[in-house]
Amino acid sequence: MLTFDETGDALDEIAEQFPQTLFRGLNGGVNLLEDAVEDPEFPGGELYIMGEFCDDCLGKYINLYYGSFAALAQKEEWTEEDWSDELWTTLSHELTHHMEGLGGLHGLDDRDEEEMAEFREEYRRREQARRPAKEDTDC
């Protein structure tokens, strides 16, 4: 399990691999926060938000959530390589949101929503399969 500081160092190294032009207009930078952010639509521990691109009164910035990474790392027994892959994937995803926002596009937002709809349906089916069938009590 990587510590918060080790994760920050790894994130810095990963960010340096991306072309600097991708960070243009990202006036709030890339922030690693200690929080674990669970998706409120699902029971605790089922789905974590790894990062988000923000465009609000504070500016444009990316937050990555160390606690979310740590929770999944523990649950899925990540290696250091897994940490690196997940950080790279999440930063890349959020930078894509940033770049699409600059261009007035929303293709990734649309894809994210489609994937979440599929996940919700899969989760609903999985939960239904776990529940025992109700017995017919009519006499």
Side-chain angles (χ1 to χ4, degrees):
M1 174 87 80
L2 294 183
T3 66
F4 179 81
D5 290 336
E6 290 169 336
T7 302
D9 291 343
L11 180 58
D12 288 344
E13 289 177 20
I14 290 166
E16 290 172 4
Q17 296 174 28
F18 287 89
Q20 289 305 302
T21 190
L22 296 179
F23 296 91
R24 189 176 323 144
L26 201 61
N27 57 353
V30 176
N31 309 294
L32 180 65
L33 305 177
E34 291 186 31
D35 312 53
V37 180
E38 297 180 71
D39 190 307
E41 294 185 35
F42 294 89
E46 186 65 33
L47 185 66
Y48 289 91
I49 297 170
M50 308 304 278
E52 63 183 333
F53 167 68
C54 302
D55 183 357
D56 57 27
C57 64
L58 297 175
K60 295 179 181 182
Y61 53 98
I62 292 172
N63 289 334
L64 272 63
Y65 300 108
Y66 170 78
S68 295
F69 284 89
L72 285 179
Q74 186 172 19
K75 188 176 181 178
E76 299 175 359
E77 300 179 9
W78 287 1
T79 64
E80 191 168 330
E81 185 178 338
D82 294 327
W83 275 87
S84 183
D85 290 347
E86 291 295 333
L87 286 167
W88 191 92
T89 298
T90 303
L91 180 57
S92 177
H93 184 95
E94 301 311 332
L95 282 169
T96 302
H97 280 298
H98 168 56
M99 296 308 294
E100 283 192 350
L102 291 175
L105 304 172
H106 53 81
L108 187 55
D109 288 333
D110 294 346
R111 191 179 98 204
D112 285 348
E113 188 53 44
E114 289 171 9
E115 287 177 358
M116 283 303 299
E118 290 171 8
F119 186 80
R120 285 183 199 101
E121 180 60 25
E122 177 186 321
Y123 180 79
R124 185 190 63 74
R125 283 194 307 266
R126 211 172 53 227
E127 287 302 301
Q128 281 182 334
R130 287 183 190 166
R131 293 186 196 123
K134 291 185 180 181
E135 292 182 24
D136 190 1
T137 57
D138 293 340
C139 296

